[in-house]
Amino acid sequence: MPKGIPNKRYTPELKRRAVEAVVKEGLSYKEAARIYEIDGHSRIQSWERIYLTEGPEGLAVERRGRHSTGRPKKLPEAVEENLLSEVQRLHAEVDYLKNLQALVLEDERRQHKKRR
């Protein structure tokens, strides 16, 4: 993109008129782009997708830049406490099963020695 030329901003009203011209009047994307002085017909295609899924008010939402991946949302305290208690219970269960397995193996070893 050449330096010093700002990106065009299209009003929600212009977007709505262009999309409705395509949907209702049967204009092609290129014709609508030429009539409404929009750079590229792919813009109208994406506006049409938004218009059909979210309605005309969806065209007013600013969709520039990248999504915010930010920090994850905090869980409610009750849910977090439940999860922590579940993790502690599972750790205790794993420890118990490890000890049980060690005892069973030791018992089998003793049984095997007695047979000899």
Side-chain angles (χ1 to χ4, degrees), residues 91-107:
H91 278 296
E93 187 177 342
V94 166
D95 289 339
Y96 171 78
L97 291 173
K98 283 181 181 177
N99 289 336
L100 182 64
Q101 185 181 21
L103 289 172
V104 168
L105 288 174
E106 182 65 29
D107 190 41

Side-chain angles (χ1 to χ4, degrees), residues 51-115:
Y51 181 85
L52 294 174
T53 56
E54 300 177 22
E57 54 278 347
L59 295 171
V61 176
E62 186 69 26
R63 288 179 167 81
R64 291 173 177 259
R66 296 182 177 172
H67 303 317
S68 172
T69 55
R71 295 171 47 190
K73 305 279 189 265
K74 272 282 238 197
L75 292 173
E77 277 188 40
V79 173
E80 191 171 346
E81 288 174 10
N82 288 342
L83 290 173
L84 288 174
S85 65
E86 179 72 10
V87 166
Q88 289 173 347
R89 187 187 67 73
L90 290 171
H91 278 296
E93 187 177 342
V94 166
D95 289 339
Y96 171 78
L97 291 173
K98 283 181 181 177
N99 289 336
L100 182 64
Q101 185 181 21
L103 289 172
V104 168
L105 288 174
E106 182 65 29
D107 190 41
E108 287 177 358
R109 234 181 273 132
R110 284 184 185 162
Q111 294 291 332
H112 189 65
K113 281 185 180 179
K114 284 182 183 179
R115 289 183 191 160

Side-chain angles (χ1 to χ4, degrees), residues 22 27-36 38 40-42 44:
V22 169
L27 287 178
S28 71
Y29 297 121
K30 288 184 180 185
E31 289 173 332
R34 188 176 36 79
I35 291 170
Y36 292 100
I38 297 167
H41 65 280
S42 61
I44 297 177

